[in-house]
Amino acid sequence: MARSNMCLLGSMILLATAAVWPQAQGQPQAPAAAPSQPAAQAQAQPEKPDPTLLLRIGDPRLKDKTMNVGLGTIMAAETGRAVAFDRMIQDMRASRLVYVGETHNSLPMHEIQYQIVRALYAQDRHLAIGLEMLPVTVQEVLDKWSAGLLTEDEFIREVRWYVNWNFNFGFYEKLFAFAKEHRLPVHALNVPREIITKVRMRGWDALSDEEKAFIPKPPDLTNKDHRTLIRTIFESSEIPPQMKGAGLGMMFEGLYRGQSAWDEVMSANAVRGAESEGRRVVVCAGSGHVLYNLGLNRRAFERSGLPSKTVVAVPVPAGKKSVEVSRSFADFVFGIAEETKPAFPTIGLSFKKVENLPNLVVESKPTDGAASRADFEKGDVVLSVDGRAYDDINELRMELARLRCGGEVRFKVLRAGQVKDVSLKCQKAAAAEPAEMKK
């Protein structure tokens, strides 16, 4: 499957697993990192067409029409024709909300987000940014960042970036730097993940009054087109055999309930950000939340009536000139080169804290990323990394985020009463090419 929805698929596999085996909730690393499978494995298994690209859902005027998205081009859904980047920005002049989808570990997609923010700021400086990546509980830290009060390392520490989010800050660095330079408000759109987990597994009624303050009402689950989209993504993912069977339907319903709650709360926070100061808000979120204008963007419009545009990107596989997509897929669709590896290496290690133990513990045996090729086991007690002891997950993940392809860090772990040395090495990878945008 094309990488446009892979991060969402990884999250879905995680959610589905947790719905069946609750003890697996604390293991985000392996499924979330699914897009970065080794190149040799990707070559051995030819990519299947992405079934989400040609669904007949969404805008009734466009859902039965298609367009071919070529490498380095931007296609406008309204006309079905290529459009210049500057023209696309002009067409966004009346939009109060601009949604730009991403695959979280795709640097070219983040470059598109940055270029759109920069161009919209040049058009009208009354701009703000909304982010899926962070919960509203850290808004005060975001305000300090926008005010220029924090260095990058101070921000990553205070916002608990590597606890709240699984992807390297480097993917988002240019966007944050632009917001800080121009003092743009940055709005957290998400809620603490344990709240979405509870909605998914037990329903909205199971939330406490304090938790319902984040999600004031049950999410609407009646939109048939949106259900079709999420079910298509779910059914096209590689579900482990042990998860299939009579409980699969129940698993999907929980997953859909959680996804809908996620979209509902992010739409409410995006609208709140747009209405609070009358600013235009660029919303950066995983593509699965905005495809076909059916996710958080649909809910935001139903809530506020604010005009909007949605932008997503699709990878064009090597050897192909274009990819066919539905014209209801998004308002604007970029064609970008398919990546073999992400710009920043996937580490693939998850950690947890254990009561009365200062050290961090490896939460699960790594199945992906650089750690899958190293001798780590579930339950390893981390004594040191390159000679330094760590008692904070965010602090250790900050250090690991500095690792680049071709680099190495050395762990000392305690396993079954014995001290072991474990080397974590990252394979070399070619630098990611920036997305091409025709002026």
Side-chain angles (χ1 to χ4, degrees), residues 151-163 165 168-169 347 351 360 388 390 392-404:
T151 66
E152 184 175 296
D153 278 356
E154 288 171 340
F155 172 75
I156 292 173
R157 286 190 173 95
E158 288 196 29
V159 86
R160 306 287 290 164
W161 178 269
Y162 289 109
V163 172
W165 197 239
N168 196 299
F169 184 79
I347 303 302
F351 304 99
L360 303 180
R388 178 183 170 187
Y390 290 87
D392 180 82
I393 293 174
N394 192 66
E395 223 28 64
L396 176 52
R397 292 192 67 188
M398 280 183 68
E399 182 61 30
L400 295 179
R402 297 185 177 97
L403 186 63
R404 294 295 178 262

Side-chain angles (χ1 to χ4, degrees), residues 36 46 60 129 159 163 188 316 339 342:
S36 57
I129 299 170
V159 86
V163 172
V316 178
E339 298 172 86

Side-chain angles (χ1 to χ4, degrees), residues 164-317:
N164 286 308
W165 197 239
N166 286 329
F167 296 90
N168 196 299
F169 184 79
F171 288 114
Y172 303 88
E173 188 172 21
K174 289 176 70 173
L175 194 65
F176 273 99
F178 189 86
K180 182 178 181 179
E181 178 185 357
H182 299 284
R183 300 297 190 262
L184 300 184
V186 180
H187 300 293
L189 302 183
N190 223 321
V191 296
R193 66 179 66 183
E194 59 269 19
I195 296 178
I196 298 298
T197 298
K198 187 180 286 189
V199 172
R200 182 184 75 246
M201 298 183 68
R202 298 170 55 192
W204 180 84
D205 290 335
L207 297 180
S208 66
D209 290 342
E210 183 179 355
E211 290 167 332
K212 286 178 180 177
F214 292 100
I215 309 178
K217 63 179 182 179
D220 178 67
L221 306 176
T222 61
N223 188 282
K224 293 182 180 179
D225 279 0
H226 186 248
R227 181 176 284 267
T228 295
L229 170 63
I230 302 304
R231 181 173 285 279
T232 300
I233 296 173
F234 176 71
E235 292 179 348
S236 62
S237 62
E238 295 182 4
I239 301 172
Q242 64 269 30
M243 292 168 57
K244 297 180 180 180
L248 200 59
M250 182 177 66
M251 185 189 305
F252 172 76
E253 290 304 320
L255 182 150
Y256 186 65
R257 188 167 59 239
Q259 180 76 10
S260 297
W262 206 350
D263 286 344
E264 185 68 32
V265 73
M266 288 199 291
S267 72
N269 290 328
V271 169
R272 189 176 298 113
E275 293 180 340
S276 61
E277 297 180 354
R279 292 177 181 265
R280 181 190 307 182
V281 177
V282 179
V283 174
C284 299
S287 294
H289 293 289
V290 299
L291 293 180
Y292 291 93
N293 285 298
L294 290 172
L296 76 92
N297 35 9
R298 169 182 62 87
R299 293 174 188 270
F301 182 77
E302 291 173 350
R303 179 183 296 272
S304 67
L306 293 175
S308 67
K309 294 293 184 184
T310 298
V311 182
V312 299
V314 294
V316 178

